[in-house]
Amino acid sequence: MDQNILLYEVQPGDTLGKIGKAIGITGDQLKDFHNSHCGKMDKVWFDNLFGIKQIIIPKDYKSPQQLKTEREKELPPPHLTEDFYADCYSVTETFLSFSGNAIEIEYKVDINFKRKQETDTAVYTADVRCHDFRKNENHPDDKISEIALACMESIYPITFTIPFQGKISGIFEFEKLKQKFEKKRPDLESFFTGEIYKAYLDKFASNLENSGYILKQFSSTLLYQLIFPKMEWFHKTGNWPEDFCFIQNSFLLKCRMNAEYSHTEPETAETLLKGYIEEPSSIQEVLRGVPFTEKSQEQADGTIEFRYRTDKKTKKMLQAEASVILNNEGELYRKQTLKLIYDERRS
């Protein structure tokens, strides 16, 4: 017999309502509980229990509302807290194209998340640094990758502002990024010599004049959409519209989302967000990042999926996965997956 149930001997004058009241549930709840645990011939239907000798009762009954409330408490709250982020995550990012070519990139992400004490409202900042890049298990050795990584390293960490509801809202003290780059530029120029590298460094410096452009460069990546979620996602029901960038620096695509939650693991809870593009655009529009005036006959479709594993007690994000798929006329055009895992050795 299930250890969570008891057999109760029905006494003269007992009713479902009377027994239920004694153990803290309604008569209908007791009837449903008994009928779900007994055989077909032993089901009860009436409150008076006439002719019934035994009733199956729960040792520790919890109503559906009680279970829902308990499970809600196991998920991260609908607002940010300083406990949500670990100090470091290991990331694996994979790109698969229609040609079948796959690229795998591995790196680390350090996050220093804290509340801005000088403000009255709940606003947070997050210092983020990506480092230790590997491409297909090797350190990137082509010159363009090297200079790109060196330029980014010169301005890390980047401090993002994040409201209590989640999602990046801006770059804190944006002007300091260019100051950091200009300080490191002489060292970069001593290593990367030639007209091509000078043009790259000039372009990088020019981009640092435009806060909107730089913010979009980061916030439109799959990584930053995953690690800075809207906290309400952990409590959504039904389906709802949500905007996502399927390709970095492209425009937002409206998706239709739904959420699933799993509490079966003893220490962790899982939140799964799944959606599909609701207003299709052409592949060329998405790649160029500009909606066309005249719509193409070839409309792209796609799906997006975010999966979070969080600690039930601390509410910390321990693991997160993302997948975006773009199809063109029913055929795979591009798939990007990303997985980050809490790096206990660095945290």
Side-chain angles (χ1 to χ4, degrees):
M1 181 182 291
D2 190 329
Q3 294 182 351
N4 293 316
I5 65 176
L6 295 171
L7 280 178
Y8 171 79
E9 299 290 336
V10 176
Q11 304 297 313
D14 275 345
T15 64
L16 286 174
K18 183 178 178 181
I19 299 170
K21 184 177 181 180
I23 60 176
I25 63 178
T26 67
D28 284 340
Q29 289 172 338
L30 177 57
K31 179 181 68 176
D32 292 341
F33 184 87
H34 170 88
N35 289 346
S36 66
H37 288 82
C38 71
K40 185 175 181 181
M41 300 301 295
D42 296 319
K43 292 184 183 296
V44 298
W45 305 105
F46 303 104
D47 185 60
N48 61 24
L49 297 178
F50 180 75
I52 303 298
K53 295 182 179 181
Q54 292 181 321
I55 286 288
I56 298 175
I57 65 174
K59 283 185 178 179
D60 184 20
Y61 179 80
K62 294 177 182 178
S63 69
Q65 184 58 45
Q66 286 175 314
L67 289 173
K68 181 181 178 183
T69 300
E70 286 186 4
R71 288 171 178 171
E72 285 276 325
K73 291 179 180 179
E74 293 177 343
L75 293 166
H79 56 83
L80 275 172
T81 68
E82 295 178 47
D83 296 324
F84 183 70
Y85 291 103
D87 295 333
C88 182
Y89 294 94
S90 297
V91 182
T92 302
E93 198 164 356
T94 305
F95 300 86
L96 179 65
S97 67
F98 62 89
S99 63
N101 295 326
I103 298 174
E104 184 176 276
I105 301 174
E106 296 175 293
Y107 53 97
K108 304 286 188 182
V109 176
D110 294 342
I111 303 175
N112 180 17
F113 186 79
K114 54 191 175 183
R115 182 166 181 166
K116 290 175 63 178
Q117 300 297 331
E118 67 271 18
T119 61
D120 295 329
T121 57
V123 177
Y124 297 86
T125 62
D127 297 336
V128 180
R129 175 177 175 249
C130 300
H131 58 97
D132 292 350
F133 284 84
R134 289 179 178 270
K135 182 179 179 181
N136 294 335
E137 300 184 349
N138 298 308
H139 290 289
D141 56 2
D142 62 283
K143 289 298 184 181
I144 294 302
S145 295
E146 286 184 347
I147 192 172
L149 292 175
C151 286
M152 290 304 303
E153 183 61 31
S154 73
I155 63 174
Y156 280 137
I158 297 171
T159 304
F160 296 99
T161 55
I162 304 158
F164 76 101
Q165 303 97 329
K167 298 290 283 185
I168 294 171
S169 62
I171 298 177
F172 183 63
E173 296 182 336
F174 173 77
E175 63 281 356
K176 288 187 177 181
L177 295 185
K178 187 166 185 178
Q179 294 173 12
K180 289 195 287 186
F181 176 70
E182 293 298 343
K183 185 177 180 179
K184 298 287 183 64
R185 181 164 181 168
D187 294 334
L188 296 174
E189 289 177 326
S190 67
F191 184 80
F192 298 100
T193 59
E195 290 300 317
I196 294 177
Y197 295 129
K198 182 180 184 304
Y200 188 97
L201 295 171
D202 288 343
K203 181 64 175 176
F204 193 84
S206 175
N207 288 338
L208 290 176
E209 300 280 359
N210 188 336
S211 61
Y213 172 81
I214 296 298
L215 178 61
K216 185 177 181 181
Q217 286 291 309
F218 287 106
S219 61
S220 62
T221 64
L222 187 58
L223 172 67
Y224 285 89
Q225 291 179 100
L226 177 67
I227 64 175
F228 294 111
K230 288 182 179 178
M231 300 307 293
E232 66 178 21
W233 290 350
F234 295 99
H235 302 274
K236 281 285 193 178
T237 58
N239 64 78
W240 73 95
E242 198 74 60
D243 295 338
F244 294 98
C245 281
F246 274 56
I247 293 179
Q248 183 181 9
N249 207 31
S250 188
F251 54 85
L252 293 167
L253 292 171
K254 189 175 294 297
C255 297
R256 178 60 53 176
M257 306 296 296
N258 66 77
E260 300 172 11
Y261 307 95
S262 174
H263 300 261
T264 56
E265 295 295 325
E267 297 180 354
T268 59
E270 186 174 277
T271 301
L272 174 61
L273 309 171
K274 300 169 69 174
Y276 60 90
I277 298 176
E278 195 171 29
E279 296 179 359
S281 300
S282 70
I283 288 291
Q284 291 302 316
E285 286 179 290
V286 178
L287 292 178
R288 294 185 184 182
V290 180
F292 298 161
T293 303
E294 295 184 7
K295 291 299 180 182
S296 169
Q297 294 293 324
E298 300 178 358
Q299 294 292 298
D301 64 87
T303 59
I304 188 165
E305 183 174 304
F306 285 0
R307 187 188 302 268
Y308 295 92
R309 189 178 296 276
T310 52
D311 189 290
K312 288 182 178 180
K313 291 183 178 179
T314 66
K315 311 303 186 287
K316 190 182 298 296
M317 179 174 63
L318 303 177
Q319 183 174 317
E321 300 176 40
S323 170
V324 290
I325 297 175
L326 272 174
N327 298 312
N328 189 34
E329 296 186 315
E331 299 291 332
L332 176 67
Y333 183 82
R334 185 180 188 271
K335 180 178 181 180
Q336 181 183 0
T337 60
L338 192 150
K339 183 175 182 178
L340 64 87
I341 300 174
Y342 166 43
D343 191 337
E344 296 184 68
R345 296 170 299 178
R346 294 284 307 280
S347 296

